[in-house]
């Protein structure tokens, strides 16, 4: 199969309506932080057990088109010896892989960050593909302050995303392009909108410069939200309207799907905001879906606590969270569907 057909087939599977993508690609420091919160050591075996728990949850193919894995998980097996990417495939879920190598300070742009990992990327992609991955993900991170991101930061990060995406497409891997405007800070919703607009403008200019085929990529942005420490919280309808306004100004209709990250919102907030997006904008040019990590996994970790006797309940809680999040893809979620606290 030629590269274009591969990309086309994968995009078709990743964009089935009413479903989304699970991000289970936490790097070692991040998963260690998540496990520490439930008093669990981040050993290779505990990570294998946890990611097996997620992927072997009965019925999740009804809600998930894809799963983003961390490199280590590509080589791990479920208890019955089945490689975890195969477990995903058998459930009808396309396995993907996070390929960035994390952030460093960007020289010349105080307090801005830039993501590493382009060196040897084509070779790594070919290897990941042999192990079953059919799409990839790379995240750039934008700190918001009165001075950040700087113009240099916006340009440098866009360039990285575009080079990564072009390399993926050349290898027949669908790129998920993730520019994350961080929720941390006291900034207003309007400031987030302004930053998000300039970030997305730069990203799509760079994608165009690098000849990335927009039809064969997915965008994974943050929603437009006030900073976590801003005194005023935003209603889901306001979040949806501001988010769509920014996306309409910046994202070409050729992009098939926008799969939001949750970015530190609670599970209920991330679900209500996605629901408002779909309820208010059912005719949007893109599928509006999810690629959540924390908003899907937080209740699972709390139910599991690293104990074998809790696996069944943890899987039930994962299934329930996916049911609600997938309902939000159809605008059919209501807050009273949330389980009692
Ligand atoms: C922003 O992070 C991505 C989405 O997760 P949330 O829905 O929790 O915001 C996620 O895919 C992220 O890339 C992973 O959690 C890994 O992050 P690190 O920093 O470990 O690469």
């Amino acid at each position: 199969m030629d590269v274009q057909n591969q990309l086309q087939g994968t995009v078709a599977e990743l964009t089935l309506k009413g479903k989304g993508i699970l991000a289970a690609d936490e790097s070692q420091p991040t998963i260690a932080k998540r496990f520490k919160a439930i008093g669990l050591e981040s050993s290779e075996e505990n990570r294998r057990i946890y990611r097996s728990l997620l992927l072997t949850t009965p019925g999740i193919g009804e809600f998930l088109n894809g799963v983003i894995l961390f490199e280590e998980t590509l080589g791990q097996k479920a208890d019955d010896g089945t490689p975890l990417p195969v477990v995903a495939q058998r459930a009808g879920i396309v396995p993907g892989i996070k390929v960035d190598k994390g952030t460093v300070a960007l020289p010349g742009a105080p307090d801005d960050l830039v993501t590493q990992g382009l060196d040897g990327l084509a070779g790594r992609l070919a290897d990941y593909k042999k192990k079953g991955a059919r799409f990839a993900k790379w995240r750039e991170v934008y700190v918001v302050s009165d001075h950040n991101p700087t113009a240099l930061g916006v340009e440098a990060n866009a360039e990285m995303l575009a080079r990564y995406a072009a390399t993926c497409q050349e290898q027949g891997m669908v790129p998920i392009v993730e520019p994350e405007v961080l929720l941390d800070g006291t900034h207003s919703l309007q400031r987030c909108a302004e930053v998000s607009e300039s970030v997305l403008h730069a990203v799509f200019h760079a994608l165009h410069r690098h000849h990335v085929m927009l039809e064969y990529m997915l965008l994974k942005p943050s929603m437009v939200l006030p900073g976590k420490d801003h005194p005023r919280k935003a209603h889901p309808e306001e979040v949806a309207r501001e988010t769509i306004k920014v996306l309409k100004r910046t994202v070409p209709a050729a992009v098939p799907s926008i799969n939001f990250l949750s970015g530190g919102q609670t599970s209920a907030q991330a679900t209500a905001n996605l629901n408002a997006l779909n309820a208010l904008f059912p005719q949007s040019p893109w599928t509006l879906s999810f690629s959540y990590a924390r908003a899907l996994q937080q209740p699972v970790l709390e139910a599991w606590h690293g104990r074998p006797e809790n696996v069944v309940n943890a899987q039930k809680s994962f299934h329930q969270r996916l049911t609600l999040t997938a309902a939000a893809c159809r605008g059919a979620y209501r807050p009273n569907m949330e389980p009692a606290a």
Side-chain angles (χ1 to χ4, degrees), residues 106 108-112 142-143 147-157:
L106 176 65
D111 298 327
D112 279 349
Y142 303 83
V143 172
H147 313 286
N148 300 94
T150 64
L152 173 60
V154 168
E155 279 310 314
N157 280 277

Side-chain angles (χ1 to χ4, degrees), residues 22-31 34 51 68 70 98 100-103 137-139 141 178 180 182 220 260-265 270 291-297:
L22 164 69
D25 62 321
E26 296 84 0
S27 59
Q28 307 300 35
T30 306
I31 195 72
R34 305 277 182 265
R51 277 140 178 179
I68 312 170
F70 184 65
K98 184 240 290 297
D100 68 65
K101 297 267 183 194
T103 55
K137 194 212 80 166
W138 178 295
R139 177 168 71 124
V141 175
E178 181 181 8
E180 180 181 12
L182 288 180
K220 175 168 172 169
F260 294 94
L261 58 88
S262 60
Q265 302 177 70
S291 174
Y292 295 162
R294 281 163 287 181
L296 288 174
Q297 293 185 52

Side-chain angles (χ1 to χ4, degrees), residues 138-256:
W138 178 295
R139 177 168 71 124
E140 294 292 332
V141 175
Y142 303 83
V143 172
V144 183
S145 73
D146 290 347
H147 313 286
N148 300 94
T150 64
L152 173 60
V154 168
E155 279 310 314
N157 280 277
E159 194 64 19
M160 297 302 279
L161 279 170
R163 287 183 61 193
Y164 140 79
T167 309
C168 285
Q169 289 189 339
E170 209 171 66
Q171 297 295 320
M173 296 270 266
V174 170
I176 295 190
V177 170
E178 181 181 8
E180 180 181 12
V181 176
L182 288 180
L183 188 61
D184 307 84
T186 55
H187 54 273
S188 65
L189 179 133
Q190 281 317 319
R191 174 74 181 137
C192 179
E194 179 185 290
V195 169
S196 302
E197 189 174 334
S198 66
V199 161
L200 288 167
H201 264 308
V203 167
F204 280 93
H205 273 296
L207 292 169
H208 176 71
R209 273 199 306 276
H210 286 264
H211 309 295
V212 172
M213 294 174 280
L214 300 184
E215 292 79 359
Y216 306 135
M217 61 159 273
L218 269 58
L219 179 69
K220 175 168 172 169
S222 31
M223 295 174 189
V224 174
L225 295 161
K228 206 166 57 189
D229 300 320
H230 189 269
R232 199 177 73 79
K233 301 293 162 222
H235 189 272
E237 285 196 7
E238 190 183 7
V239 173
R241 289 189 197 287
E242 291 300 320
T243 302
I244 287 290
K245 193 200 279 181
V246 168
L247 294 172
K248 277 189 174 165
R249 289 177 177 180
T250 52
V251 183
V255 173

